[in-house]
Structure formats: C-alpha cells, structure tokens
Amino acid sequence: GVVMVAATLGGAAALLLGQRSGARRHTRVARERYLAHLEGEREELRAAARRQAELAAAIHPHPGTLRGLVAEPGRLWQRRPGDPDFLQLRVGLGTVRRAVRVALPAATDPLDPRDPVCRRSAELLVARYSDLPNQPVVVPVAVAESITVVGAPDDARWVGRLLVAQLAGLHSPDEVLLAICCPRRAGRRWSAAKWLPHCLGTGGRDRGAPRTLAADSLEGLRGVRSEEHTSELQSRETIS
C-alpha cells in the first residue's frame, strides 16, 4: 500500500509540474507575440508622426523660408477663405497632439487575467506617443477677437512682424485688410508695413496715393476706417 500511495503522489506531482510548465510556456509565447505587436504599432506611430511633421512644416513653414516661399509660383497669397489654413498664423514651436494616437481600455475587472508585463508595455506606448514635440504652433486669427503678445519688447515685436509677414505673404489683399496702429515714437519700426497692399485702402486717396490704413492712435485708426468705409460706399453708389 505504501508503494502504491507513493507512486500515486509522485504521478500527481509530475502532472502538476507539467501543467505549470505548460502554462508558463504559453504565457511566454503569448507575451512575445503581444510585444511584437506593440513594436509594429510603434513603427506605425513613428511613420504617422513623420507624415504629420512634414505636412505641418509645409503648411506652416519656418519664418526664415517665408521670403523665398512667396517667390515660388502659386505660393504668394495662396490661402483662400475656404482653406483650413486661412488666417492660421504660426507663432513658434511647441508640443501638439498627435493626429494618430493609440488608446488602452481601462482594466476595470479586478480579476482581469492580462499579463502585467504586456499591460505595462502598452501603457508606456500610449504615454510615449500621445503628443508630438517641436511642431508649429498656430493662432486662429479669424476667430480671435484680439491677440496679445506678452514678453520682452524685442521678442514681442519679432512675433508681431512674423504675424504680419505671414498675413501679407500668404493671404490676398482682396480678402484680408491690415490696419496699423502704432505710436509715433515707435513708428519707424512699422513704417514699411503700411505700404503693404493689405494696408492700402481702396475707397479714397491721400494726395493722389491710396490712403494707408495706419494711425498713431486707436481714435485715429477708427477715423481712417470710417473715412475708408464712407469712400467705399460713395464709390459703389457712383458705379451703380
């Protein structure tokens, strides 16, 4: 009887060890397959990020390339009111949301049998590929009531000139007007901007030249716009 009991217990132990070994082997194989799947997802996310960055660089180019860009056929004043990038002006670089992201469903079941190694790898993938750094940051000028640039004076003026350059180079004066309000003591910094076609009125003239939409105060600018609007109405009445 003792030999038989011993043999039975030994057989049960061998069976249990075999089952555990088989379960570990199954877990290892499943884990390797899932990690390989995550690596494939990672490559697709990297490719999508490259495409997103290339498109953003083409739509919102570096300020240093703007002068040469508008000299290319078809690029000057290329943005139209129906375009998604109309009056979307670049102000710098920053972190933006990725166009293609991955999400992980929440593990709400406390008895969820998912492998913790696979789960952690997936969580790291989601966290790593949610945002995209060093991308153009734009301001939607068309829907903004006002835009304030805060910072050191030289930096603020640089951003302001950048906005004006994009507005004038990428948008037609038939669709966008630019009015300059600048105190006289700083007028020389913006003196060239008032001769942009976007800053020239169409309803009247100053001593034979088109009226410039520029003034050294808000009250003066309102007066210029009022005169411009009145001249436009008179011109339309004359034509009709």
Side-chain angles (χ1 to χ4, degrees):
V2 174
V3 174
M4 189 170 214
V5 170
T8 302
L9 292 175
L15 179 60
L16 181 60
L17 290 174
Q19 290 176 343
R20 290 180 177 176
S21 177
R24 285 195 296 268
R25 185 164 51 250
H26 174 75
T27 299
R28 184 179 66 254
V29 172
R31 178 183 295 170
E32 291 174 353
R33 289 179 178 175
Y34 186 74
L35 294 179
H37 167 72
L38 290 183
E39 184 59 31
E41 293 290 326
R42 187 176 291 107
E43 289 300 323
E44 291 186 10
L45 289 170
R46 289 171 179 165
R50 287 192 295 268
R51 293 192 297 268
Q52 180 179 348
E54 291 170 359
L55 180 60
I59 296 177
H60 304 290
H62 187 277
T65 66
L66 189 59
R67 179 179 298 179
L69 183 69
V70 298
E72 298 180 9
R75 297 302 297 269
L76 178 66
W77 303 342
Q78 65 174 355
R79 297 183 181 179
R80 293 293 182 263
D83 297 336
D85 57 352
F86 184 73
L87 287 179
Q88 297 275 334
L89 304 183
R90 171 173 170 162
V91 293
L93 295 176
T95 299
V96 301
R97 295 291 290 173
R98 287 176 179 259
V100 177
R101 300 188 300 272
V102 290
L104 194 64
T108 57
D109 185 358
L111 300 179
D112 192 341
R114 296 174 187 173
D115 178 56
V117 174
C118 293
R119 179 78 187 186
R120 182 55 181 163
S121 298
E123 290 172 346
L124 292 175
L125 178 70
V126 172
R128 171 67 178 80
Y129 292 94
S130 60
D131 298 324
L132 193 60
N134 298 320
Q135 296 302 303
V137 175
V138 301
V139 174
V141 176
V143 298
E145 293 185 0
S146 64
I147 298 174
T148 303
V149 181
V150 179
D154 289 343
D155 294 338
R157 281 191 291 268
W158 184 88
V159 173
R161 287 193 291 267
L162 174 60
L163 294 174
V164 170
Q166 292 175 86
L167 187 147
L170 300 174
H171 304 80
S172 170
D174 293 333
E175 295 159 344
V176 177
L177 289 179
L178 174 65
I180 301 293
C181 179
C182 182
R184 291 184 179 180
R185 65 179 182 275
R188 61 183 179 83
R189 297 191 180 100
W190 298 95
S191 58
K194 68 180 183 179
W195 297 114
L196 291 169
H198 307 70
C199 207
L200 299 179
T202 58
R205 291 179 174 270
D206 292 328
R207 298 176 183 177
R211 178 182 290 116
T212 58
L213 305 180
D216 57 8
S217 67
L218 288 176
E219 291 75 13
L221 190 61
R222 292 190 187 99
V224 171
R225 287 296 296 136
S226 178
E227 293 176 6
E228 176 71 11
H229 182 63
T230 301
S231 298
E232 288 178 357
L233 291 177
Q234 292 175 348
S235 298
R236 293 177 184 177
E237 291 175 357
T238 302
I239 293 174
S240 61

